Amino acid sequence: MTATTLVEPAIRVTGLEKSFGGLHVLRGVDLEVERGSVVALLGSNGAGKTTLVRILSTLLRADADACAVRGIDVARRPEQVRETISLTGQFAAVDEILTGRENLVMIARLRHLHDPGRIADDLLARFSLAGSGGRRVGTYSGGMRRRLDIAMSLIGDPSVVVLDEPTTGLDPQARIEVWQAVRGLAENGTTVLLTTQYLEEAEQLADRIAILHHGRIIADGTLAELRRLLPPARAEYVEKQPTLEEIFLAIVGDEREGTPS
C-alpha cells in the first residue's frame, strides 16, 4: 500500500440521503474528493447539488449518511467542519456600502485574526483587485464582486472551498475572471468542490467530474475517462470557427480590473 492511499480524502460521502416530505432529493450519494484537487459536480436544476453542498457545509442535516470533511464527521462534529470548510453561494455575499478592502478587513476581524489589514491587502493583490480595494463594492462589476466574494471565503485559510454555481448570471468576461480565481486556488493547494450547470466550466477547471442525476452520482471520473463511456470518435475534417465567447473577448478585451457597473 502506497503512502498516497493512506491519505484521507478531503471529502468523503457514502450513502447520503435527504428527503423533503415525500420528495427524495438525494438517494444514496457516494462521492470522494482528493486533497488539492478540483472536482466539478454537474447536474440539472433539481438534481440535488445545492442540497449536497448545504449538508457538507453543516447548514442542513442529512437523513442518512456517512459524510466527512478531512476525516471529520459532519453530523457529529459540525463546529470542527466549519473551521475547515468555506462555502461561497450562488450570489456574492459582499457589503456594497463598504470598500473591497473594508469587506476583507471586517471578515478577518470577525475571525479574530492578527493583522487584518495585511490579510486584506494580500488577498486584494492575489485576486487582482488591489487597484480597486479603496472603491465601494457597489461600483464593482459582477466579476469583481465574485472574485472579492471568493477572496473573503479564503480568510482563515480553509483547506476545502465549496463554490456553489459561482458564475451564475455572470457575463462571459466575468466568468473567465472567476475561472482564473479558481485556477489560482488549485495552484495554491486548496481543495475545491465546484457545482455548476455549465459543461464548459467543468471541462476547463476540473480534475474530476461527477454527474448527479435524480439524487444519485451516475458517473464519476476524469474527462478522458468519461469520454471513454461513449463510442469511439470518428475522424472528420472540420474547419474550426471561433466560438462566440472568443469573438466577444476579442472585441471587448479582457480587462482584469473591470469597470464600474
Side-chain angles (χ1 to χ4, degrees):
M1 181 177 291
T2 66
T4 302
T5 60
L6 296 174
V7 177
E8 182 75 18
I11 298 173
R12 186 195 297 275
V13 177
T14 307
L16 185 63
E17 297 181 11
K18 182 62 182 179
S19 298
F20 297 95
L23 178 62
H24 301 292
V25 178
L26 301 178
R27 303 166 177 263
V29 171
D30 298 315
L31 178 67
E32 288 191 3
V33 179
E34 296 179 4
R35 298 189 184 200
S37 67
V38 178
V39 171
L41 184 63
L42 293 179
S44 56
N45 284 333
K49 301 188 303 296
T50 297
T51 299
L52 174 57
V53 163
R54 288 174 61 83
I55 291 171
L56 282 173
S57 55
T58 76
L59 298 176
L60 189 66
R61 288 188 67 89
D63 298 334
D65 74 307
C67 189
V69 175
R70 292 184 68 88
I72 305 169
D73 188 280
V74 171
R76 296 179 181 177
R77 294 188 285 169
E79 296 85 1
Q80 287 182 260
V81 171
R82 293 182 197 121
E83 295 175 357
T84 302
I85 198 168
S86 179
L87 169 65
T88 298
Q90 296 180 21
F91 304 99
V94 295
D95 189 320
E96 296 190 356
I97 297 176
L98 300 178
T99 67
R101 188 177 189 275
E102 288 169 343
N103 269 275
L104 293 164
V105 167
M106 175 181 66
I107 298 300
R109 285 176 175 167
L110 289 172
R111 289 183 175 270
H112 307 289
L113 299 178
H114 175 68
D115 200 354
R118 179 189 58 78
I119 293 171
D121 291 337
D122 287 348
L123 285 168
L124 287 170
R126 178 174 170 183
F127 285 87
S128 300
L129 291 169
S132 305
R135 281 170 39 195
R136 285 195 312 107
V137 174
T139 69
Y140 281 18
S141 67
M144 294 169 69
R145 294 184 197 197
R146 211 44 162 141
R147 278 152 48 204
L148 177 63
D149 192 27
I150 295 173
M152 290 167 64
S153 73
L154 295 183
I155 293 176
D157 295 322
S159 56
V160 179
V161 172
V162 179
L163 304 176
D164 188 15
E165 302 195 18
T167 61
T168 297
L170 297 183
D171 61 47
Q173 187 168 337
R175 284 177 63 204
I176 289 177
E177 291 177 7
V178 175
W179 290 359
Q180 291 169 337
V182 174
R183 290 191 184 101
L185 296 180
E187 290 169 0
N188 281 276
T190 303
T191 303
V192 178
L193 177 62
L194 168 75
T195 76
T196 182
Q197 297 182 61
Y198 300 125
L199 304 186
E200 183 188 7
E201 190 159 277
E203 189 171 347
Q204 288 282 337
L205 298 175
D207 300 307
R208 296 184 67 84
I209 299 166
I211 300 176
L212 183 64
H213 186 63
H214 292 315
R216 291 189 177 92
I217 300 291
I218 61 171
D220 181 4
T222 65
L223 181 58
E225 290 169 343
L226 296 181
R227 280 176 173 155
R228 287 198 290 270
L229 298 176
L230 301 178
R234 184 175 60 186
E236 293 182 351
Y237 172 78
V238 177
E239 183 179 349
K240 186 180 183 300
Q241 296 293 329
T243 65
L244 182 58
E245 186 169 282
E246 290 170 338
I247 294 169
F248 176 88
L249 292 173
I251 293 172
V252 305
D254 185 10
E255 300 174 2
R256 291 282 289 148
E257 285 288 335
T259 55
S261 57

